[in-house]
Amino acid sequence: MPDAIIFDVDGTLAETEEVHRRAFNETFARMGLLWHWTGADYARLLTTTGGKERIRRHMDETGAPPTDVAMLHAAKTERYVQLIAEGQIVLREGIGALVVAARRAGLKLAVATTTSRPNVEALARAVWGRSASEVFDVIAAGDEVAAKKPAPDVYRLALDRLGLPAARTVALEDSRNGLRAAIAAGIPCIVSPGIYTRAEDFSGALAVLPEFSALGGLDGLAALLERHAA
Ligand code: XBP
Ligand code: MG
C-alpha cells in the first residue's frame, strides 16, 4: 500500500476544463476582447498548461495587442470560482470512494495541480462541502512553483510537504503533461484520460483506465503498485 495518493485536479478530480473554458470566454467578452476559444481551439491550447501561459500563447499565435495577462487571469479565476460555487461540477467516477477509503486506511492525500489555490478551494467546497485542507493533507499549486507541468516541480513540492520519497506515493492524472510531470519526479502514475486528453500518448503510465472506478479501490491500487515494483 502506498503512504500517499497525489491527485491532479483539472480533469482528474473532476471534468473542470469546460468550466475553465467558459470562464475564459466570459471574461474575454466582459473585458471587451474579441477572443473566443471554441472546444477545438481549447483542445489545442490545453497542451500549454496554466491559464496565464495559455493566454500568452493565444496572443503570440494571433498577434493580439498586448493585454494585462495577470489582470485578465485574475478576473477569469474569479468567474471560475463563481461558476464552480453555482454547482456546475461533480467528482469523476471512483474519486469520491477512493478519497474516503484512503482516509479510512490512514493514507495521506495530496494535490499537485497546475491551477491556483482558489480554484482547488472552490472545487472542494462544491463537491465535499469542506475546505480543501480538510480533505487533503497537502496542497501544491501551480503558482507556488517556478515551472508548471510537464516540469516535475509541483510534484516535488507535494513530496516535500508530505515528507515522503516518491516511491512511497502514487499519482493520479488525466493528461500526458501531468503524467510526464509525475514520472519526472519519480512517482508511479495511473492515468484516466478526460474529455480533452483521450487521444494523448500515455506511455510510461502504470495503467490507463477508462475511469478511476476501474482501479478496484485501494486493493486494486496496491496490486498495481506491487506488480510495478516486482
Ligand atoms: C490543468 C491546466 C489548468 C487549467 C486552468 O492542468 O492546465 O491550467 O486549464 O487553470 P493539470 P488556471 O490538470 O495538468 O494540472 O487558469 O488556474 O491556470
Ligand atoms: Mg489534469
PDB file of all heavy atoms in Angstrom, residues 25-58:
ATOM      1  N   ASN A  25     -13.835  32.471 -21.706  1.00  0.00           N
ATOM      2  CA  ASN A  25     -14.599  33.157 -22.765  1.00  0.00           C
ATOM      3  C   ASN A  25     -15.468  34.280 -22.211  1.00  0.00           C
ATOM      4  O   ASN A  25     -15.543  35.365 -22.802  1.00  0.00           O
ATOM      5  CB  ASN A  25     -15.450  32.139 -23.535  1.00  0.00           C
ATOM      6  CG  ASN A  25     -14.620  31.344 -24.529  1.00  0.00           C
ATOM      7  OD1 ASN A  25     -13.612  31.842 -25.051  1.00  0.00           O
ATOM      8  ND2 ASN A  25     -15.012  30.114 -24.791  1.00  0.00           N
ATOM      9  N   GLU A  26     -16.111  34.047 -21.075  1.00  0.00           N
ATOM     10  CA  GLU A  26     -16.951  35.105 -20.490  1.00  0.00           C
ATOM     11  C   GLU A  26     -16.093  36.287 -20.054  1.00  0.00           C
ATOM     12  O   GLU A  26     -16.510  37.439 -20.177  1.00  0.00           O
ATOM     13  CB  GLU A  26     -17.757  34.538 -19.312  1.00  0.00           C
ATOM     14  CG  GLU A  26     -18.845  33.592 -19.782  1.00  0.00           C
ATOM     15  CD  GLU A  26     -19.760  33.087 -18.671  1.00  0.00           C
ATOM     16  OE1 GLU A  26     -19.627  33.563 -17.515  1.00  0.00           O
ATOM     17  OE2 GLU A  26     -20.590  32.215 -18.955  1.00  0.00           O
ATOM     18  N   THR A  27     -14.901  35.988 -19.556  1.00  0.00           N
ATOM     19  CA  THR A  27     -14.002  37.060 -19.120  1.00  0.00           C
ATOM     20  C   THR A  27     -13.480  37.849 -20.322  1.00  0.00           C
ATOM     21  O   THR A  27     -13.451  39.085 -20.282  1.00  0.00           O
ATOM     22  CB  THR A  27     -12.831  36.477 -18.298  1.00  0.00           C
ATOM     23  OG1 THR A  27     -13.369  35.697 -17.240  1.00  0.00           O
ATOM     24  CG2 THR A  27     -11.941  37.569 -17.737  1.00  0.00           C
ATOM     25  N   PHE A  28     -13.108  37.145 -21.381  1.00  0.00           N
ATOM     26  CA  PHE A  28     -12.651  37.848 -22.593  1.00  0.00           C
ATOM     27  C   PHE A  28     -13.740  38.829 -23.052  1.00  0.00           C
ATOM     28  O   PHE A  28     -13.469  39.991 -23.338  1.00  0.00           O
ATOM     29  CB  PHE A  28     -12.369  36.870 -23.748  1.00  0.00           C
ATOM     30  CG  PHE A  28     -11.261  35.876 -23.479  1.00  0.00           C
ATOM     31  CD1 PHE A  28     -11.221  34.642 -24.159  1.00  0.00           C
ATOM     32  CD2 PHE A  28     -10.245  36.157 -22.575  1.00  0.00           C
ATOM     33  CE1 PHE A  28     -10.205  33.726 -23.919  1.00  0.00           C
ATOM     34  CE2 PHE A  28      -9.226  35.245 -22.334  1.00  0.00           C
ATOM     35  CZ  PHE A  28      -9.208  34.018 -23.000  1.00  0.00           C
ATOM     36  N   ALA A  29     -14.987  38.347 -23.102  1.00  0.00           N
ATOM     37  CA  ALA A  29     -16.086  39.186 -23.592  1.00  0.00           C
ATOM     38  C   ALA A  29     -16.313  40.375 -22.659  1.00  0.00           C
ATOM     39  O   ALA A  29     -16.459  41.521 -23.118  1.00  0.00           O
ATOM     40  CB  ALA A  29     -17.356  38.345 -23.719  1.00  0.00           C
ATOM     41  N   ARG A  30     -16.285  40.115 -21.356  1.00  0.00           N
ATOM     42  CA  ARG A  30     -16.544  41.182 -20.384  1.00  0.00           C
ATOM     43  C   ARG A  30     -15.460  42.264 -20.448  1.00  0.00           C
ATOM     44  O   ARG A  30     -15.712  43.438 -20.205  1.00  0.00           O
ATOM     45  CB  ARG A  30     -16.623  40.596 -18.972  1.00  0.00           C
ATOM     46  CG  ARG A  30     -17.283  41.512 -17.962  1.00  0.00           C
ATOM     47  CD  ARG A  30     -17.798  40.730 -16.760  1.00  0.00           C
ATOM     48  NE  ARG A  30     -16.750  39.993 -16.077  1.00  0.00           N
ATOM     49  CZ  ARG A  30     -15.906  40.523 -15.188  1.00  0.00           C
ATOM     50  NH1 ARG A  30     -15.988  41.803 -14.868  1.00  0.00           N
ATOM     51  NH2 ARG A  30     -14.995  39.778 -14.612  1.00  0.00           N
ATOM     52  N   MET A  31     -14.240  41.853 -20.796  1.00  0.00           N
ATOM     53  CA  MET A  31     -13.120  42.803 -20.883  1.00  0.00           C
ATOM     54  C   MET A  31     -13.076  43.479 -22.259  1.00  0.00           C
ATOM     55  O   MET A  31     -12.119  44.189 -22.578  1.00  0.00           O
ATOM     56  CB  MET A  31     -11.791  42.074 -20.642  1.00  0.00           C
ATOM     57  CG  MET A  31     -11.677  41.455 -19.279  1.00  0.00           C
ATOM     58  SD  MET A  31     -11.434  42.731 -18.034  1.00  0.00           S
ATOM     59  CE  MET A  31     -11.760  41.811 -16.546  1.00  0.00           C
ATOM     60  N   GLY A  32     -14.056  43.182 -23.098  1.00  0.00           N
ATOM     61  CA  GLY A  32     -14.114  43.836 -24.411  1.00  0.00           C
ATOM     62  C   GLY A  32     -13.142  43.263 -25.427  1.00  0.00           C
ATOM     63  O   GLY A  32     -12.848  43.895 -26.440  1.00  0.00           O
ATOM     64  N   LEU A  33     -12.643  42.056 -25.151  1.00  0.00           N
ATOM     65  CA  LEU A  33     -11.712  41.425 -26.104  1.00  0.00           C
ATOM     66  C   LEU A  33     -12.507  40.557 -27.074  1.00  0.00           C
ATOM     67  O   LEU A  33     -13.332  39.756 -26.641  1.00  0.00           O
ATOM     68  CB  LEU A  33     -10.717  40.533 -25.348  1.00  0.00           C
ATOM     69  CG  LEU A  33      -9.756  41.251 -24.410  1.00  0.00           C
ATOM     70  CD1 LEU A  33      -9.071  40.248 -23.493  1.00  0.00           C
ATOM     71  CD2 LEU A  33      -8.726  42.014 -25.225  1.00  0.00           C
ATOM     72  N   LEU A  34     -12.233  40.700 -28.340  1.00  0.00           N
ATOM     73  CA  LEU A  34     -12.952  39.871 -29.311  1.00  0.00           C
ATOM     74  C   LEU A  34     -12.210  38.544 -29.494  1.00  0.00           C
ATOM     75  O   LEU A  34     -11.735  38.225 -30.571  1.00  0.00           O
ATOM     76  CB  LEU A  34     -13.107  40.615 -30.641  1.00  0.00           C
ATOM     77  CG  LEU A  34     -14.064  41.801 -30.597  1.00  0.00           C
ATOM     78  CD1 LEU A  34     -14.122  42.509 -31.944  1.00  0.00           C
ATOM     79  CD2 LEU A  34     -15.466  41.368 -30.173  1.00  0.00           C
ATOM     80  N   TRP A  35     -12.103  37.810 -28.389  1.00  0.00           N
ATOM     81  CA  TRP A  35     -11.470  36.492 -28.411  1.00  0.00           C
ATOM     82  C   TRP A  35     -12.542  35.482 -28.005  1.00  0.00           C
ATOM     83  O   TRP A  35     -13.365  35.760 -27.137  1.00  0.00           O
ATOM     84  CB  TRP A  35     -10.356  36.354 -27.366  1.00  0.00           C
ATOM     85  CG  TRP A  35      -9.235  37.324 -27.425  1.00  0.00           C
ATOM     86  CD1 TRP A  35      -9.058  38.324 -28.331  1.00  0.00           C
ATOM     87  CD2 TRP A  35      -8.144  37.402 -26.504  1.00  0.00           C
ATOM     88  NE1 TRP A  35      -7.911  39.021 -28.040  1.00  0.00           N
ATOM     89  CE2 TRP A  35      -7.331  38.475 -26.922  1.00  0.00           C
ATOM     90  CE3 TRP A  35      -7.766  36.681 -25.383  1.00  0.00           C
ATOM     91  CZ2 TRP A  35      -6.168  38.837 -26.253  1.00  0.00           C
ATOM     92  CZ3 TRP A  35      -6.618  37.032 -24.712  1.00  0.00           C
ATOM     93  CH2 TRP A  35      -5.817  38.097 -25.145  1.00  0.00           C
ATOM     94  N   HIS A  36     -12.482  34.309 -28.614  1.00  0.00           N
ATOM     95  CA  HIS A  36     -13.364  33.235 -28.162  1.00  0.00           C
ATOM     96  C   HIS A  36     -12.695  31.906 -28.452  1.00  0.00           C
ATOM     97  O   HIS A  36     -12.282  31.670 -29.582  1.00  0.00           O
ATOM     98  CB  HIS A  36     -14.740  33.301 -28.863  1.00  0.00           C
ATOM     99  CG  HIS A  36     -15.688  32.277 -28.327  1.00  0.00           C
ATOM    100  ND1 HIS A  36     -16.518  32.522 -27.255  1.00  0.00           N
ATOM    101  CD2 HIS A  36     -15.885  30.984 -28.669  1.00  0.00           C
ATOM    102  CE1 HIS A  36     -17.186  31.419 -26.976  1.00  0.00           C
ATOM    103  NE2 HIS A  36     -16.829  30.471 -27.808  1.00  0.00           N
ATOM    104  N   TRP A  37     -12.597  31.056 -27.434  1.00  0.00           N
ATOM    105  CA  TRP A  37     -11.967  29.749 -27.612  1.00  0.00           C
ATOM    106  C   TRP A  37     -13.038  28.685 -27.790  1.00  0.00           C
ATOM    107  O   TRP A  37     -13.784  28.370 -26.850  1.00  0.00           O
ATOM    108  CB  TRP A  37     -11.091  29.408 -26.399  1.00  0.00           C
ATOM    109  CG  TRP A  37      -9.855  30.262 -26.299  1.00  0.00           C
ATOM    110  CD1 TRP A  37      -9.352  31.081 -27.272  1.00  0.00           C
ATOM    111  CD2 TRP A  37      -8.975  30.389 -25.170  1.00  0.00           C
ATOM    112  NE1 TRP A  37      -8.204  31.708 -26.826  1.00  0.00           N
ATOM    113  CE2 TRP A  37      -7.951  31.305 -25.547  1.00  0.00           C
ATOM    114  CE3 TRP A  37      -8.943  29.822 -23.901  1.00  0.00           C
ATOM    115  CZ2 TRP A  37      -6.916  31.657 -24.673  1.00  0.00           C
ATOM    116  CZ3 TRP A  37      -7.913  30.174 -23.035  1.00  0.00           C
ATOM    117  CH2 TRP A  37      -6.913  31.075 -23.419  1.00  0.00           C
ATOM    118  N   THR A  38     -13.119  28.126 -28.999  1.00  0.00           N
ATOM    119  CA  THR A  38     -14.037  27.008 -29.239  1.00  0.00           C
ATOM    120  C   THR A  38     -13.446  25.754 -28.568  1.00  0.00           C
ATOM    121  O   THR A  38     -12.271  25.762 -28.150  1.00  0.00           O
ATOM    122  CB  THR A  38     -14.160  26.718 -30.746  1.00  0.00           C
ATOM    123  OG1 THR A  38     -12.874  26.285 -31.219  1.00  0.00           O
ATOM    124  CG2 THR A  38     -14.628  27.934 -31.533  1.00  0.00           C
ATOM    125  N   GLY A  39     -14.224  24.679 -28.541  1.00  0.00           N
ATOM    126  CA  GLY A  39     -13.713  23.424 -27.991  1.00  0.00           C
ATOM    127  C   GLY A  39     -12.463  22.968 -28.735  1.00  0.00           C
ATOM    128  O   GLY A  39     -11.502  22.498 -28.127  1.00  0.00           O
ATOM    129  N   ALA A  40     -12.465  23.155 -30.055  1.00  0.00           N
ATOM    130  CA  ALA A  40     -11.303  22.733 -30.859  1.00  0.00           C
ATOM    131  C   ALA A  40     -10.088  23.610 -30.541  1.00  0.00           C
ATOM    132  O   ALA A  40      -8.963  23.111 -30.404  1.00  0.00           O
ATOM    133  CB  ALA A  40     -11.644  22.812 -32.342  1.00  0.00           C
ATOM    134  N   ASP A  41     -10.312  24.924 -30.407  1.00  0.00           N
ATOM    135  CA  ASP A  41      -9.211  25.827 -30.022  1.00  0.00           C
ATOM    136  C   ASP A  41      -8.633  25.378 -28.680  1.00  0.00           C
ATOM    137  O   ASP A  41      -7.422  25.309 -28.487  1.00  0.00           O
ATOM    138  CB  ASP A  41      -9.707  27.272 -29.816  1.00  0.00           C
ATOM    139  CG  ASP A  41     -10.226  27.921 -31.082  1.00  0.00           C
ATOM    140  OD1 ASP A  41      -9.757  27.547 -32.173  1.00  0.00           O
ATOM    141  OD2 ASP A  41     -11.116  28.804 -30.979  1.00  0.00           O
ATOM    142  N   TYR A  42      -9.555  25.100 -27.758  1.00  0.00           N
ATOM    143  CA  TYR A  42      -9.124  24.799 -26.387  1.00  0.00           C
ATOM    144  C   TYR A  42      -8.342  23.490 -26.325  1.00  0.00           C
ATOM    145  O   TYR A  42      -7.359  23.389 -25.587  1.00  0.00           O
ATOM    146  CB  TYR A  42     -10.343  24.761 -25.457  1.00  0.00           C
ATOM    147  CG  TYR A  42      -9.973  24.985 -24.002  1.00  0.00           C
ATOM    148  CD1 TYR A  42      -9.397  26.189 -23.592  1.00  0.00           C
ATOM    149  CD2 TYR A  42     -10.180  24.002 -23.048  1.00  0.00           C
ATOM    150  CE1 TYR A  42      -9.042  26.399 -22.266  1.00  0.00           C
ATOM    151  CE2 TYR A  42      -9.826  24.197 -21.715  1.00  0.00           C
ATOM    152  CZ  TYR A  42      -9.261  25.399 -21.334  1.00  0.00           C
ATOM    153  OH  TYR A  42      -8.904  25.604 -20.019  1.00  0.00           O
ATOM    154  N   ALA A  43      -8.761  22.509 -27.128  1.00  0.00           N
ATOM    155  CA  ALA A  43      -8.049  21.222 -27.150  1.00  0.00           C
ATOM    156  C   ALA A  43      -6.582  21.459 -27.531  1.00  0.00           C
ATOM    157  O   ALA A  43      -5.667  20.848 -26.975  1.00  0.00           O
ATOM    158  CB  ALA A  43      -8.706  20.283 -28.151  1.00  0.00           C
ATOM    159  N   ARG A  44      -6.364  22.353 -28.467  1.00  0.00           N
ATOM    160  CA  ARG A  44      -5.014  22.675 -28.914  1.00  0.00           C
ATOM    161  C   ARG A  44      -4.267  23.464 -27.825  1.00  0.00           C
ATOM    162  O   ARG A  44      -3.153  23.150 -27.458  1.00  0.00           O
ATOM    163  CB  ARG A  44      -5.132  23.517 -30.188  1.00  0.00           C
ATOM    164  CG  ARG A  44      -4.064  23.348 -31.219  1.00  0.00           C
ATOM    165  CD  ARG A  44      -4.428  24.085 -32.519  1.00  0.00           C
ATOM    166  NE  ARG A  44      -5.092  25.359 -32.294  1.00  0.00           N
ATOM    167  CZ  ARG A  44      -4.499  26.483 -31.926  1.00  0.00           C
ATOM    168  NH1 ARG A  44      -3.205  26.499 -31.752  1.00  0.00           N
ATOM    169  NH2 ARG A  44      -5.196  27.587 -31.734  1.00  0.00           N
ATOM    170  N   LEU A  45      -4.947  24.477 -27.294  1.00  0.00           N
ATOM    171  CA  LEU A  45      -4.306  25.363 -26.314  1.00  0.00           C
ATOM    172  C   LEU A  45      -3.989  24.662 -24.992  1.00  0.00           C
ATOM    173  O   LEU A  45      -3.089  25.072 -24.267  1.00  0.00           O
ATOM    174  CB  LEU A  45      -5.206  26.580 -26.045  1.00  0.00           C
ATOM    175  CG  LEU A  45      -5.321  27.578 -27.201  1.00  0.00           C
ATOM    176  CD1 LEU A  45      -6.487  28.537 -26.972  1.00  0.00           C
ATOM    177  CD2 LEU A  45      -4.019  28.361 -27.368  1.00  0.00           C
ATOM    178  N   LEU A  46      -4.753  23.604 -24.684  1.00  0.00           N
ATOM    179  CA  LEU A  46      -4.555  22.886 -23.413  1.00  0.00           C
ATOM    180  C   LEU A  46      -3.190  22.224 -23.301  1.00  0.00           C
ATOM    181  O   LEU A  46      -2.762  21.913 -22.191  1.00  0.00           O
ATOM    182  CB  LEU A  46      -5.632  21.814 -23.255  1.00  0.00           C
ATOM    183  CG  LEU A  46      -6.792  22.102 -22.312  1.00  0.00           C
ATOM    184  CD1 LEU A  46      -7.676  20.877 -22.203  1.00  0.00           C
ATOM    185  CD2 LEU A  46      -6.320  22.528 -20.931  1.00  0.00           C
ATOM    186  N   THR A  47      -2.518  22.024 -24.449  1.00  0.00           N
ATOM    187  CA  THR A  47      -1.178  21.438 -24.349  1.00  0.00           C
ATOM    188  C   THR A  47      -0.228  22.410 -23.649  1.00  0.00           C
ATOM    189  O   THR A  47       0.839  22.022 -23.199  1.00  0.00           O
ATOM    190  CB  THR A  47      -0.620  21.048 -25.736  1.00  0.00           C
ATOM    191  OG1 THR A  47      -0.642  22.210 -26.567  1.00  0.00           O
ATOM    192  CG2 THR A  47      -1.458  19.934 -26.369  1.00  0.00           C
ATOM    193  N   THR A  48      -0.632  23.679 -23.571  1.00  0.00           N
ATOM    194  CA  THR A  48       0.104  24.642 -22.742  1.00  0.00           C
ATOM    195  C   THR A  48      -0.594  24.679 -21.387  1.00  0.00           C
ATOM    196  O   THR A  48      -1.749  25.095 -21.291  1.00  0.00           O
ATOM    197  CB  THR A  48       0.076  26.046 -23.388  1.00  0.00           C
ATOM    198  OG1 THR A  48       0.703  25.946 -24.657  1.00  0.00           O
ATOM    199  CG2 THR A  48       0.787  27.074 -22.535  1.00  0.00           C
ATOM    200  N   THR A  49       0.095  24.219 -20.341  1.00  0.00           N
ATOM    201  CA  THR A  49      -0.544  24.177 -19.019  1.00  0.00           C
ATOM    202  C   THR A  49      -0.486  25.563 -18.382  1.00  0.00           C
ATOM    203  O   THR A  49       0.453  26.320 -18.586  1.00  0.00           O
ATOM    204  CB  THR A  49       0.143  23.152 -18.090  1.00  0.00           C
ATOM    205  OG1 THR A  49       1.518  23.486 -17.993  1.00  0.00           O
ATOM    206  CG2 THR A  49      -0.002  21.741 -18.622  1.00  0.00           C
ATOM    207  N   GLY A  50      -1.530  25.853 -17.615  1.00  0.00           N
ATOM    208  CA  GLY A  50      -1.598  27.141 -16.914  1.00  0.00           C
ATOM    209  C   GLY A  50      -2.372  28.163 -17.723  1.00  0.00           C
ATOM    210  O   GLY A  50      -2.128  28.346 -18.915  1.00  0.00           O
ATOM    211  N   GLY A  51      -3.324  28.796 -17.075  1.00  0.00           N
ATOM    212  CA  GLY A  51      -4.178  29.774 -17.754  1.00  0.00           C
ATOM    213  C   GLY A  51      -3.425  30.980 -18.271  1.00  0.00           C
ATOM    214  O   GLY A  51      -3.649  31.432 -19.403  1.00  0.00           O
ATOM    215  N   LYS A  52      -2.503  31.528 -17.469  1.00  0.00           N
ATOM    216  CA  LYS A  52      -1.758  32.719 -17.908  1.00  0.00           C
ATOM    217  C   LYS A  52      -0.883  32.373 -19.108  1.00  0.00           C
ATOM    218  O   LYS A  52      -0.802  33.124 -20.077  1.00  0.00           O
ATOM    219  CB  LYS A  52      -0.893  33.265 -16.755  1.00  0.00           C
ATOM    220  CG  LYS A  52      -1.698  33.896 -15.636  1.00  0.00           C
ATOM    221  CD  LYS A  52      -0.819  34.631 -14.643  1.00  0.00           C
ATOM    222  CE  LYS A  52      -0.229  33.722 -13.587  1.00  0.00           C
ATOM    223  NZ  LYS A  52      -1.149  33.224 -12.576  1.00  0.00           N
ATOM    224  N   GLU A  53      -0.256  31.205 -19.023  1.00  0.00           N
ATOM    225  CA  GLU A  53       0.608  30.750 -20.122  1.00  0.00           C
ATOM    226  C   GLU A  53      -0.230  30.540 -21.385  1.00  0.00           C
ATOM    227  O   GLU A  53       0.206  30.821 -22.502  1.00  0.00           O
ATOM    228  CB  GLU A  53       1.298  29.449 -19.726  1.00  0.00           C
ATOM    229  CG  GLU A  53       2.328  29.574 -18.601  1.00  0.00           C
ATOM    230  CD  GLU A  53       1.751  29.718 -17.194  1.00  0.00           C
ATOM    231  OE1 GLU A  53       0.514  29.723 -17.042  1.00  0.00           O
ATOM    232  OE2 GLU A  53       2.541  29.842 -16.257  1.00  0.00           O
ATOM    233  N   ARG A  54      -1.458  30.049 -21.203  1.00  0.00           N
ATOM    234  CA  ARG A  54      -2.367  29.783 -22.336  1.00  0.00           C
ATOM    235  C   ARG A  54      -2.794  31.087 -22.995  1.00  0.00           C
ATOM    236  O   ARG A  54      -2.867  31.189 -24.215  1.00  0.00           O
ATOM    237  CB  ARG A  54      -3.580  29.018 -21.800  1.00  0.00           C
ATOM    238  CG  ARG A  54      -4.324  28.207 -22.806  1.00  0.00           C
ATOM    239  CD  ARG A  54      -5.262  27.235 -22.100  1.00  0.00           C
ATOM    240  NE  ARG A  54      -4.510  26.236 -21.363  1.00  0.00           N
ATOM    241  CZ  ARG A  54      -4.908  25.712 -20.198  1.00  0.00           C
ATOM    242  NH1 ARG A  54      -6.049  26.069 -19.651  1.00  0.00           N
ATOM    243  NH2 ARG A  54      -4.150  24.820 -19.604  1.00  0.00           N
ATOM    244  N   ILE A  55      -3.060  32.101 -22.185  1.00  0.00           N
ATOM    245  CA  ILE A  55      -3.443  33.424 -22.718  1.00  0.00           C
ATOM    246  C   ILE A  55      -2.266  34.010 -23.519  1.00  0.00           C
ATOM    247  O   ILE A  55      -2.447  34.541 -24.618  1.00  0.00           O
ATOM    248  CB  ILE A  55      -3.852  34.383 -21.573  1.00  0.00           C
ATOM    249  CG1 ILE A  55      -5.177  33.934 -20.942  1.00  0.00           C
ATOM    250  CG2 ILE A  55      -3.966  35.821 -22.086  1.00  0.00           C
ATOM    251  CD1 ILE A  55      -5.533  34.660 -19.650  1.00  0.00           C
ATOM    252  N   ARG A  56      -1.060  33.869 -22.957  1.00  0.00           N
ATOM    253  CA  ARG A  56       0.125  34.400 -23.669  1.00  0.00           C
ATOM    254  C   ARG A  56       0.319  33.690 -25.005  1.00  0.00           C
ATOM    255  O   ARG A  56       0.628  34.321 -26.015  1.00  0.00           O
ATOM    256  CB  ARG A  56       1.387  34.249 -22.805  1.00  0.00           C
ATOM    257  CG  ARG A  56       1.522  35.367 -21.819  1.00  0.00           C
ATOM    258  CD  ARG A  56       2.870  35.352 -21.097  1.00  0.00           C
ATOM    259  NE  ARG A  56       2.649  35.867 -19.757  1.00  0.00           N
ATOM    260  CZ  ARG A  56       2.623  35.131 -18.653  1.00  0.00           C
ATOM    261  NH1 ARG A  56       2.882  33.844 -18.707  1.00  0.00           N
ATOM    262  NH2 ARG A  56       2.369  35.670 -17.484  1.00  0.00           N
ATOM    263  N   ARG A  57       0.097  32.392 -25.012  1.00  0.00           N
ATOM    264  CA  ARG A  57       0.235  31.631 -26.271  1.00  0.00           C
ATOM    265  C   ARG A  57      -0.788  32.141 -27.291  1.00  0.00           C
ATOM    266  O   ARG A  57      -0.462  32.316 -28.474  1.00  0.00           O
ATOM    267  CB  ARG A  57       0.032  30.131 -26.005  1.00  0.00           C
ATOM    268  CG  ARG A  57       0.038  29.318 -27.281  1.00  0.00           C
ATOM    269  CD  ARG A  57       0.009  27.835 -27.017  1.00  0.00           C
ATOM    270  NE  ARG A  57      -0.390  27.096 -28.202  1.00  0.00           N
ATOM    271  CZ  ARG A  57      -0.705  25.795 -28.193  1.00  0.00           C
ATOM    272  NH1 ARG A  57      -0.654  25.106 -27.067  1.00  0.00           N
ATOM    273  NH2 ARG A  57      -1.067  25.195 -29.301  1.00  0.00           N
ATOM    274  N   HIS A  58      -2.011  32.361 -26.837  1.00  0.00           N
ATOM    275  CA  HIS A  58      -3.053  32.868 -27.732  1.00  0.00           C
ATOM    276  C   HIS A  58      -2.620  34.217 -28.333  1.00  0.00           C
ATOM    277  O   HIS A  58      -2.787  34.458 -29.532  1.00  0.00           O
ATOM    278  CB  HIS A  58      -4.374  33.024 -26.969  1.00  0.00           C
ATOM    279  CG  HIS A  58      -5.439  33.722 -27.748  1.00  0.00           C
ATOM    280  ND1 HIS A  58      -6.279  33.045 -28.615  1.00  0.00           N
ATOM    281  CD2 HIS A  58      -5.797  35.029 -27.821  1.00  0.00           C
ATOM    282  CE1 HIS A  58      -7.103  33.908 -29.180  1.00  0.00           C
ATOM    283  NE2 HIS A  58      -6.843  35.112 -28.710  1.00  0.00           N
TER     284      HIS A  58
END
